[in-house]
Amino acid sequence: MTAPNPATEPRAFLEHLYQAAVQRALPLHNTAACLPPPPRGRTIVIGAGKAGGSMAQAVEALWPADAPLEGLVVTRYHHVPPRPQGLPQRIELVEAAHPVPDAAGLAASQRILAMVQGLTRDDLVLCLISGGGSALLTLPADGLSLEDKQRINKALLNSGANIGEMNCVRKHLSRIKGGRLAAACAPARVVTLTISDVPGDDPSIIASGPTVPDASSCADALAILKRYGIDLPADVLSRLESGALETPKPGDPAFEGHEVHMMATPQQSLEAAAAAARAAGMAAYILSDEMEGESREVGKVHAAIARTVARSSDSSRVVALKGRPFSRPCVILSGGETTVTVRPRQPGDAKGRGGRAGEFCLGLALALQGQPGVYALAADTDGIDGVEDNAGAFVAPDTLRRAVAQGMKINGFLDRNDAYGYFEPLGDLVITGPTHTNVNDFRALLIL
């Protein structure tokens, strides 16, 4: 597809780069090379994540028609893609809540765990894992109710904890995460196909690693809960302190003969976007696929880089990446998973709406202060920013001016984490609908 002209259609051009990143991570493009041959026995497909529906359909399309195939995969509500015409359904798809788990996710997890009981060495378990699986694959540890897990999950989401910290806690408060699902499959062979949504692409963090060893400890989980002031029921706290809720570790024989295949990563998607930019004659630079930190602060850092590059006619202000100076016009890309610490609501304030991408854009717009020639798009590659209907937002040199003309001051929206409320009246929300994949944050700055 021909790219829009960045000089005359900056928003359309940035959306084109976003779509290039998403396309690179779609399961149908990445599954064939990862599939093992059919076993002598049964093939059970299980899994969870925002890309679960499209991953299951890819397996159905690629698996030999005469080879047995069955299973259950859970994905987020409204994330099952349209079924390709003529493709028989052999894997059941169930929808559940994300980011806070619900009863549907609990029931699906119970069914998945029951499905892998009694397997033999002749059987194969294909586990399809993508971001979002932690909330969707929920089976609380003994002594914890679903309501307890929901409360703890909400507290972690609002605390500013990073994804590694959140998933460390989730693994130790679960009967299915942190390698426990793989242990339940024994003695069957387990092959995990995963799409990374985490900095560093560590499979033990993606969806809390249900089929891979866990190097973190109960003590680590306790330290995180203490750091963010999150309470547990007394009996569960005691079992964490005693180590009774420890997860299977590297070297455990439960993982012998198992395989993990990384089907798509944030870096690959950023490289696809960079290639699309270069094909349009634009220089492209990737800062990192492992950006973490408070979304608004990461936005301010990106703004500082963009402003310096935009003013780079002054040789004393040239920015360099890996020893190479940025040249304008250019695109600067980054990925990773930032966090949002939800601020206490002031009396009379409406509840803020938005997610990491929108909050990044708020911080970016504030710090850019209308810098001429700088445009930006930040969006979640799953198409949903937090729990709203937008993927992210767009920032232009006139963003602040247009907002002020509508009586909106950006600091107030930052104070109440209300990116959606800020960008919606401006017509600057990026709305794509679910993309059926997930390699997490995508950020692109266009500097003309």
Side-chain angles (χ1 to χ4, degrees):
M1 187 175 72
T2 303
N5 187 324
T8 58
E9 301 176 90
R11 176 169 178 165
F13 178 73
L14 291 171
E15 289 175 345
H16 171 73
L17 301 188
Y18 170 79
Q19 290 299 331
V22 168
Q23 288 293 317
R24 174 61 182 84
L26 289 177
L28 193 57
H29 302 162
N30 301 290
T31 301
C34 302
L35 287 177
R40 287 188 293 180
R42 301 165 63 195
T43 298
I44 310 292
V45 180
I46 56 175
K50 298 175 188 176
S54 55
M55 294 177 83
Q57 288 184 3
V59 172
E60 289 173 327
L62 295 165
W63 199 251
D66 59 350
L69 188 70
E70 59 186 301
L72 172 64
V73 173
V74 57
T75 191
R76 185 176 180 168
Y77 289 121
H78 313 301
H79 277 60
V80 176
R83 177 160 290 275
Q85 187 174 3
L87 179 66
Q89 181 164 3
R90 296 192 275 174
I91 303 166
E92 182 182 355
L93 292 175
V94 173
E95 296 181 327
H98 178 279
V100 178
D102 69 354
L106 175 62
S109 301
Q110 290 169 330
R111 290 180 60 198
I112 285 172
L113 200 58
M115 191 174 287
V116 299
Q117 304 300 310
L119 299 179
T120 72
R121 294 187 182 279
D122 289 336
D123 299 324
L124 169 69
V125 176
L126 282 178
C127 190
L128 312 180
I129 294 296
S130 58
S134 283
L136 296 164
L137 200 64
T138 185
L139 198 57
D142 292 336
L144 272 183
S145 66
L146 176 60
E147 291 74 23
D148 289 328
K149 285 295 291 282
Q150 289 170 329
R151 175 184 60 80
I152 293 165
N153 215 56
K154 287 178 182 176
L156 285 167
L157 288 166
N158 291 340
S159 70
N162 66 38
I163 188 63
E165 292 173 320
M166 286 193 283
N167 285 357
C168 174
V169 172
R170 289 162 166 166
K171 284 187 275 193
H172 288 88
L173 300 181
S174 171
R175 284 185 284 144
I176 199 167
K177 300 185 182 80
R180 292 185 175 95
L181 180 56
C185 295
R189 179 185 177 208
V190 178
V191 175
T192 300
L193 311 185
T194 188
I195 295 176
S196 174
D197 71 326
V198 302
D201 305 328
D202 183 347
S204 73
I205 297 178
I206 303 165
S208 298
T211 58
V212 296
D214 174 37
S216 71
S217 67
C218 286
D220 295 328
L222 280 168
I224 293 163
L225 290 163
K226 182 177 180 181
R227 184 177 308 138
Y228 296 107
I230 299 171
D231 297 326
L232 291 179
D235 59 332
V236 177
L237 177 62
S238 175
R239 291 166 65 214
L240 261 186
E241 290 172 336
S242 71
L245 295 179
E246 202 51 271
T247 49
K249 301 301 175 202
D252 191 304
F255 304 104
E256 187 175 344
H258 292 195
E259 296 177 14
V260 177
H261 297 280
M262 196 70 63
M263 292 170 49
T265 67
Q267 180 67 24
Q268 290 169 346
S269 284
L270 292 176
E271 288 172 355
R278 291 170 186 141
M282 186 72 58
Y285 308 96
I286 299 174
L287 290 180
S288 173
D289 69 330
E290 298 187 36
M291 292 277 186
E292 296 184 85
E294 280 288 325
S295 293
R296 63 180 67 194
E297 301 304 323
V298 175
K300 293 174 184 176
V301 171
H302 281 64
I305 295 170
R307 292 183 72 174
T308 303
V309 175
R311 301 169 181 176
S312 60
S313 56
D314 175 355
S315 61
S316 68
R317 303 182 64 88
V318 171
V319 176
L321 177 66
K322 296 181 180 178
R324 294 177 298 154
F326 287 12
S327 58
R328 178 170 58 89
C330 67
V331 170
I332 298 175
L333 302 163
S334 74
E337 182 161 2
T338 58
T339 54
V340 173
T341 301
V342 177
R343 269 58 177 176
R345 212 183 324 166
Q346 298 303 310
D349 277 354
K351 183 180 179 181
R353 302 170 64 192
R356 299 189 308 266
E359 184 130 337
F360 168 89
C361 287
L362 285 177
L364 178 79
L366 177 61
L368 282 174
Q369 286 295 303
Q371 174 66 48
V374 178
Y375 301 83
L377 182 148
D380 199 309
T381 51
D382 70 357
I384 303 296
D385 188 23
V387 297
E388 303 301 335
D389 61 0
N390 66 311
F394 171 74
V395 174
D398 63 352
T399 293
L400 294 181
R401 179 180 58 76
R402 287 185 290 120
V404 169
Q406 295 190 38
M408 298 191 300
K409 295 183 178 179
I410 194 169
N411 283 304
F413 289 84
L414 266 171
D415 289 344
R416 59 179 181 272
N417 306 104
D418 192 15
Y420 195 100
Y422 186 80
F423 289 106
E424 183 183 35
L426 300 177
D428 286 342
L429 293 177
V430 175
I431 298 177
T432 64
T435 65
H436 311 300
T437 190
N438 179 25
V439 287
N440 236 314
D441 300 344
F442 173 87
R443 294 176 289 268
L445 279 66
L446 171 63
I447 306 169
L448 299 174

